[in-house]
Amino acid sequence: MSAGPGTDLLGSPVRRTIVDTLANLPTGVDPESGAVIPHPGLRAQDLANRLGLHVTTVRFHLDQLVAAGLLRTSFQRRKEAGRPRKLYAIEQGSLGHVTSDQSYRMLTELLVETLSSGSDAMPNTPEEAGASWGRRHVLDGHVGLIGQQAARSPGRWLGKIGQMVDLLREWGYSPEVSTTNDGRTARVALHDCPFLPLAKDNTAVVCGIHRGLIRGVLEALGEDSTEVGLTPFVAPSLCIAALTTHSSFEHPTTLNHPPRQGDHP
């Protein structure tokens, strides 16, 4: 099965963020019929302001997403004089096709990984397959992330979580992050699992893959001592991952003022 034209486009973090932003705009409800009223969309300038990018850059990405059939445009008349405003919104039905293609390719690789022989000539577990896949894709496609040391402070640990979130977005997830336990535990809300149809009937397999993906990515980022927990289906399309680092954090004064030559320990 070949990937659709939108799959490669969403490999770009910028275009994925644009699509995520438009896909999560608030909707309204018709008071009479109760029907959902979709959001009309955003202007290129609105998106540029949200993403912190120049509007010309955003328009470049928007044009590609429209040409691929992922976004649609409409024009909204102004109350005051002037040209109508051009709005961008998600094309109805477009995301399901792209997510399906992404999921198929990713799932195929992971199932092959699961069925391949492990070190003891036994098939890998789903978690082992996910971890291997995650490590390999960090090493193969993100050279700048390789060779990092374990985080020594809550801020640096959160930075690692941010790098992992960027990768999860590239792979079709919509994660949100919060922290507890003095910054040692990151709570990652995983919206819109790309394996959702399979997960409903094979929860243990898919959750194992999820845990492995997260663990493998963090290991590739230098975080080998991370405890990964996963609670599936907190909501119909939401799972929660709890990631706790067991690395030793240094005292803030040590981080900000390293010992000088001649100082006594």
Side-chain angles (χ1 to χ4, degrees), residues 9-21 51 53 57-58 61 65:
L9 280 176
L10 293 184
S12 160
V14 173
R15 288 191 284 272
R16 180 70 201 182
T17 302
I18 289 173
V19 170
D20 285 343
T21 299
L51 273 60
L53 298 172
T57 301
V58 171
H61 292 293
L65 292 168

Side-chain angles (χ1 to χ4, degrees), residues 16 68 71 100 104 136 148 170 182 218 233 235 257:
R16 180 70 201 182
L71 302 184
S100 175
Y104 185 90
R136 185 171 67 250
Q148 300 184 54
E170 290 183 19
D182 292 329
L218 289 173
F233 297 119
H257 304 286

